[in-house]
Amino acid sequence: MDLRLYAVTDRSYLDGIDLIDAVEQAVRGGITIIQLREKEISSREFYELALRVKKVTRRKNIPLIINDRVDIALAVDADGVHIGQEDLPAEVVRRLIGPGKILGVSAGTVEEAIKAQKDGADYLGVGAAYPTPTKPESCAIGIEGIKKIKEAIGIPVVAIGGITRENAYEVMLKTGVDGISSVSAVFAGDVEENSRQLLESINKAIADRS
Amino acid sequence: MDLRLYAVTDRSYLDGIDLIDAVEQAVRGGITIIQLREKEISSREFYELALRVKKVTRRKNIPLIINDRVDIALAVDADGVHIGQEDLPAEVVRRLIGPGKILGVSAGTVEEAIKAQKDGADYLGVGAAYPTPTKPESCAIGIEGIKKIKEAIGIPVVAIGGITRENAYEVMLKTGVDGISSVSAVFAGDVEENSRQLLESINKAIADRS
């Protein structure tokens, strides 16, 4: 599981591009894993979209993770599920998906991180690194907060929240995380170029860390 | 599976009563099966609510059916899942829930009904019997439409859509269905008394049919 550049979809950033086209561009640009997040569509639409995305990701062996909806993940035989603190409990999801699928959990505190690890998470999404429109100042734990969680647990961590082309290098360098996750830094604007530049920054940070 | 009085929850009808209290009242009044339908809450809230409802329904051996969300049904070990035409395909749901759980499918035409039966449905919700605020005139197939579907298939049918205390007897008598399903006729007003009167009308129609 290569978590270096973890793209999360959000059609509101796509500015008219088809989601499948955007995913193809992101894959060409070098994303290493992708999460499909859909909150506003029917189960049938989510299912059909996930099947179409899977055709793209399977060709390049990019793991496809489904946000929240364990049933959609099982229905399309996705590679895993990502859950937040408002979704099904991690230990229940692990029971439903079995040991072979990837389970990711969002965590904002050391306590949540330790619990998620204990409950069967394979990796954590930790943040917010910086305030964002959807996660205000109060949710931002910063570089220090992410570093603290990364040091407290044994499973891989991706940093989330407010990460951009400009700060991706610093986040990777200073927190020691295994990758960065973003919606807008990948999908707003030129998706392929965004992905390429992000991966370059991430790879440089990994090289500079060691 | 006793489908005579199939209650579907909708908290917008509850007028301040706690959903669990309302379910307890409905069970005392004689509902024979219940479907938990939640579209606006988080997966965690749905899961926790379903666990609480199950405690009530299990005591009286009332089957608990979850609307749409196969993952919630599996997570709480509910008795089954009910899906509409905008949810996961029936054959996919049957694969996910296995042969032991109840699968209900909404159908508005003979074609949809035959397909659902073929795809593994255990029963159908067929309607709308009458126009409702959420299902306008164009969706109402009436007594004749429901009767036609009931005669075309071999699995049990519950009539849905616009059914009230006043018309429940007629719907049962004239369509030959196995039960009636309603949100408002059960949950608006005195839930226990609603359920008692509905069941009485249904039982009278079944007696008068034979």
Side-chain angles (χ1 to χ4, degrees):
Chain A
M1 184 173 54
D2 179 351
L3 293 167
R4 282 175 300 156
L5 180 49
Y6 188 134
V8 180
T9 67
D10 185 332
R11 57 184 66 212
S12 69
Y13 283 95
L14 289 178
D15 202 23
I17 323 176
D18 179 74
L19 182 60
I20 304 297
D21 290 344
V23 170
E24 279 176 347
Q25 290 172 38
V27 167
R28 276 201 301 273
I31 63 164
T32 59
I33 180 166
I34 189 164
Q35 178 188 134
L36 192 54
R37 182 164 66 187
E38 292 290 342
K39 295 292 186 189
E40 306 298 330
I41 61 179
S42 72
S43 295
R44 180 69 65 100
E45 288 172 302
F46 198 168
Y47 168 73
E48 287 171 356
L49 183 67
L51 284 178
R52 290 173 67 211
V53 170
K54 193 178 136 183
K55 277 193 187 163
V56 177
T57 55
R58 277 287 154 97
R59 275 203 301 269
K60 299 291 178 118
N61 282 316
I62 305 290
L64 170 63
I65 308 294
I66 302 293
N67 181 278
D68 181 13
R69 294 291 301 269
V70 177
D71 47 359
I72 304 291
L74 293 173
V76 306
D77 190 25
D79 301 287
V81 177
H82 186 93
I83 53 171
Q85 301 289 322
E86 295 300 307
D87 301 332
L88 284 171
E91 71 274 21
V92 173
V93 176
R94 175 54 78 199
R95 177 165 57 75
L96 296 180
I97 64 178
K101 294 213 182 281
I102 299 168
L103 173 57
V105 179
S106 297
T109 64
V110 170
E111 292 67 31
E112 286 176 358
I114 289 172
K115 178 163 188 351
Q117 176 175 253
K118 186 174 73 66
D119 290 344
D122 292 308
Y123 75 87
L124 301 183
V126 170
Y130 303 96
T132 69
T134 55
K135 302 275 177 189
E137 193 67 50
S138 58
C139 299
I141 60 172
I143 297 276
E144 279 311 305
I146 293 172
K147 187 162 178 262
K148 215 165 108 185
I149 292 174
K150 171 67 188 169
E151 288 169 355
I153 59 165
I155 55 178
V157 167
V158 291
I160 61 175
I163 292 169
T164 64
R165 271 193 208 176
E166 288 68 37
N167 63 32
Y169 174 83
E170 191 189 3
V171 171
M172 287 295 297
L173 191 75
K174 294 191 176 167
T175 63
V177 294
D178 304 89
I180 66 105
S181 175
S182 183
V183 177
S184 60
V186 174
F187 289 109
D190 184 336
V191 179
E192 184 172 344
E193 187 56 27
N194 289 342
S195 305
R196 187 168 294 127
Q197 291 197 17
L198 279 164
L199 188 62
E200 202 176 285
S201 299
I202 291 161
N203 286 340
K204 185 169 185 314
I206 291 170
D208 290 351
R209 274 196 321 221
S210 56
Chain B
M1 185 174 54
D2 179 352
L3 293 167
R4 281 175 300 156
L5 180 50
Y6 187 133
V8 180
T9 67
D10 185 332
R11 57 184 68 213
S12 69
Y13 284 93
L14 290 179
D15 202 22
I17 323 175
D18 179 73
L19 181 60
I20 304 297
D21 290 344
V23 170
E24 278 175 348
Q25 290 173 39
V27 167
R28 276 200 302 273
I31 63 164
T32 59
I33 180 166
I34 189 164
Q35 179 188 133
L36 193 54
R37 182 165 66 188
E38 293 291 343
K39 295 291 186 190
E40 305 298 331
I41 60 179
S42 72
S43 295
R44 180 68 66 100
E45 288 171 302
F46 199 168
Y47 167 73
E48 286 171 355
L49 183 67
L51 284 178
R52 290 174 67 210
V53 170
K54 193 179 136 183
K55 277 193 187 162
V56 177
T57 55
R58 277 287 153 98
R59 274 203 302 270
K60 301 288 178 125
N61 282 317
I62 306 291
L64 171 63
I65 308 295
I66 303 293
N67 181 278
D68 181 13
R69 294 290 301 268
V70 177
D71 48 358
I72 304 292
L74 294 173
V76 305
D77 191 25
D79 301 287
V81 177
H82 186 92
I83 54 171
Q85 301 288 324
E86 294 301 308
D87 301 332
L88 284 171
E91 72 274 21
V92 173
V93 176
R94 176 54 79 199
R95 176 164 57 74
L96 295 180
I97 65 178
K101 293 212 183 281
I102 300 168
L103 173 57
V105 178
S106 298
T109 65
V110 170
E111 292 67 32
E112 285 176 358
I114 290 172
K115 178 164 188 351
Q117 176 175 251
K118 184 172 73 63
D119 290 345
D122 293 306
Y123 75 88
L124 301 184
V126 170
Y130 302 96
T132 68
T134 55
K135 301 276 176 187
E137 195 67 50
S138 59
C139 299
I141 61 172
I143 298 275
E144 279 314 304
I146 293 173
K147 187 163 177 264
K148 214 165 109 184
I149 292 175
K150 171 65 187 169
E151 288 169 356
I153 59 165
I155 55 177
V157 167
V158 291
I160 61 174
I163 292 168
T164 63
R165 272 193 208 175
E166 288 68 36
N167 64 31
Y169 174 83
E170 191 189 4
V171 171
M172 287 295 297
L173 192 75
K174 295 192 175 166
T175 63
V177 293
D178 304 89
I180 65 104
S181 176
S182 183
V183 177
S184 59
V186 173
F187 289 109
D190 184 335
V191 179
E192 185 172 344
E193 187 54 27
N194 289 342
S195 305
R196 188 169 293 127
Q197 291 197 17
L198 279 164
L199 189 62
E200 204 177 283
S201 300
I202 292 162
N203 285 340
K204 186 168 184 316
I206 292 171
D208 290 351
R209 273 193 325 217
S210 56

